[in-house]
Structures are given as C-alpha cells and as structure tokens.
C-alpha cells in the first residue's frame, strides 16, 4: 500500500493518492490545484494513475479531476447519479475499483450533496479487512459536512443521517481520511487534525454521535454555514456547465 495525503490551504482541502506499489496501480481522490504534484507523486512511487475520483461535484473550489484524468490517461470517476455535462465513469454503490492488491469499495453517502460517495479501502497484502475510508465532505474530524443542493435543508440532513448511520457500521479501527479540515466552510467544528478513526468520531464527533434522527436534523439545520461566494459558479464549472 502506498498512501499520500496532500493538504491545501487555499482552499482548505485534502487530496489523496493511494494504490498498490507492487502492481504499479494508483487512484487520486479529490485533486485540487496544479496537477503536476500528483503526476510527480505517481512517477516517484512507480505507479500509473488508473482512476481520478471526485467524491462529489465540489462547490468550494474548482476540481483538478478532469484535467488530471486527461493528462494521466485515467478514468474520471463520479457516482452514477452525478449530473455532469461530460462523459465520466459512473460507479455504483458497492462497486469495487481494483488497484492491484488494493481495492476501493464505493459507498454512496449523500447528504452534503446527492451524489456524494466515500471509498472503503483494503490492502489485501495486509488483511481482507478494510483499513481506511475516504469520506470526502460527509464525515470529517469533529463534524459532518453541511447539507447543500437538496430540495430542502431538512431533506439533506435526513440523507446525511442515513449516511452517518451507514458509516457507523464500520469497525472502530477504520481510519477516517476526510476531504477537509479546520478552516473549511464545509463543516462547523472541524479539527485541525486531518485524520481520525470511526471509533473516535463515534464517541467525540458532536454530530456523528447523535443517534436520534429528529435531534440530528435539528442540529444540522441550525446555523448552517453559508456557502462560499463562488459556490454556484464553482459547482457549475465542475459539472461542465461552464468553461
């Protein structure tokens, strides 16, 4: 297993490159900014990028996903229900992306956006059990992502509650690698520590630990952080609606 986390400050975000060194197969998740560092990281680790995956159509920044996929010859991946005006590889809930001895299982985790996905990653050279989950803007360290682009904030919160309940089914030892951390507008009480575990978040994440759906909806629809000023334009660009 090879794993690289790339932390960004403008915008505040986290990107990932991971894969199987032995079989020279990698994926990049939620790339931001210049694509050169991802290309160099793949070259330095002797891996070919097979998949470039955006966990959702982002609104807080312009994704580098399509540019990186084109430059590397990788498939650009979104969840099957994503509304985008360009061709992409549509993945379904439960679908497994193969990266040599590493696999990434797609989990549909809507709520932040309807098409949001997470990736449960297993290194089969170590164990048949999963090792970590890439959670994008659904589960972050300290909070869950704000709801957006649902028919109502309540609908988004209910979808997010269902996604949280599904992630809680994962074993406590599973590492949580989120798509943002403290300073991001995508959550309210985010930690500056950009990794955690399911078990720690189950105990100490103020939103993730709520078990009652109505209490959860009330908490997630109160004082929702405003979207970034360019949110609508960014999402339109990332969906291919604008150049």
């Amino acid at each position: 297993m090879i794993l690289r986390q790339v932390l960004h400050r403008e915008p505040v975000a986290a990107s990932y490159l991971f894969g199987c060194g032995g079989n020279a197969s990698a994926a990049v998740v939620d790339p931001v900014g210049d694509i050169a560092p991802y290309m160099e990281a793949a070259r330095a680790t002797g891996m070919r990028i097979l998949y470039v995956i955006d966990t959702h159509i982002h609104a807080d920044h312009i994704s580098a996903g399509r540019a990186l996929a084109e430059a590397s010859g990788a498939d650009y991946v979104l969840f099957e229900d994503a509304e985008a005006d360009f061709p992409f590889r549509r993945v379904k809930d439960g679908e497994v992306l193969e990266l040599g001895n590493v696999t990434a299982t797609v989990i549909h985790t809507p709520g932040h956006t309807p098409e949001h996905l997470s990736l449960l990653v297993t290194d089969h050279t170590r164990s048949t059990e999963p090792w970590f989950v890439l959670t994008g803007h659904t589960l972050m360290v300290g909070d869950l992502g704000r709801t957006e682009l649902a028919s109502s904030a309540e609908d988004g919160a209910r979808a997010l509650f269902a996604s949280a309940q599904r992630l809680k089914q994962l074993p406590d030892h599973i590492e949580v690698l989120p798509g943002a951390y403290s300073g991001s507008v995508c959550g309210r009480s985010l930690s500056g520590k950009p990794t955690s575990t399911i078990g720690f978040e189950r105990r100490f994440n103020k939103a993730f630990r709520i078990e009652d759906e109505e209490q959860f909806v009330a908490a997630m629809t109160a004082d929702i952080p405003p979207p970034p000023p360019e949110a609508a334009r960014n999402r339109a660009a990332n969906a291919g609606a604008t150049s």
Side-chain angles (χ1 to χ4, degrees):
M1 165 71 75
I2 292 174
L3 172 66
R4 300 289 185 269
Q5 183 186 55
V6 183
L7 301 180
H8 311 275
R9 287 303 305 171
E10 293 184 4
V12 175
S15 307
Y16 299 88
L17 179 145
F18 71 94
C20 176
N23 285 273
S25 303
V28 174
V29 178
D30 289 337
V32 178
D34 187 358
I35 67 172
Y38 308 102
M39 299 287 285
E40 173 57 24
R43 186 202 64 76
T45 52
M47 297 194 296
R48 183 167 67 92
I49 300 173
L50 301 184
Y51 307 109
V52 177
I53 306 161
D54 268 324
T55 55
H56 59 293
I57 298 177
H58 296 274
D60 58 327
H61 64 264
I62 298 298
S63 169
R66 282 189 288 158
L68 179 58
E70 182 177 355
S72 63
D75 287 347
Y76 179 61
V77 178
L78 292 168
F79 190 70
E80 61 178 346
D81 292 342
E83 296 181 358
D85 295 333
F86 49 79
F88 61 92
R89 175 163 176 170
R90 298 176 183 270
V91 292
K92 300 179 179 181
D93 184 67
E95 185 169 341
V96 177
L97 298 176
E98 303 277 352
L99 294 163
N101 293 316
V102 173
T103 58
T105 302
V106 175
I107 306 174
H108 186 208
T109 50
H112 178 63
T113 65
E115 77 287 345
H116 198 291
L117 64 82
S118 298
L119 295 165
L120 185 62
V121 179
T122 303
D123 178 0
H124 294 271
T125 66
R126 299 291 306 280
S127 173
T128 58
E129 295 185 20
W131 195 348
F132 60 86
V133 61
L134 296 155
T135 52
H137 292 176
T138 293
L139 172 59
M140 294 177 282
V141 183
D143 203 354
L144 298 175
R146 74 169 191 278
T147 61
E148 57 183 41
L149 297 171
S151 57
S152 70
E154 180 178 335
D155 289 346
R158 293 190 186 281
L160 190 61
F161 179 78
S163 295
Q165 294 301 107
R166 190 170 183 192
L167 290 173
K168 286 179 186 178
Q169 296 175 14
L170 300 177
D172 280 357
H173 73 269
I174 298 294
E175 296 175 2
V176 174
L177 304 182
Y181 58 102
S182 178
S184 169
V185 297
C186 292
R188 293 170 289 191
S189 301
L190 303 184
S191 173
K193 182 179 182 295
T195 63
S196 188
T197 64
I198 290 291
F200 194 89
E201 295 307 302
R202 189 198 311 275
R203 292 181 63 189
F204 301 113
N205 183 311
K206 68 176 186 179
F208 193 55
R209 68 187 182 190
I210 297 174
E211 294 294 341
D212 179 79
E213 183 172 356
E214 297 308 318
Q215 181 184 354
F216 180 90
V217 170
M220 294 306 295
T221 54
D223 302 320
I224 299 174
E230 299 297 315
R233 183 178 299 176
N234 287 344
R235 184 170 171 91
N238 288 331
T242 62
S243 57

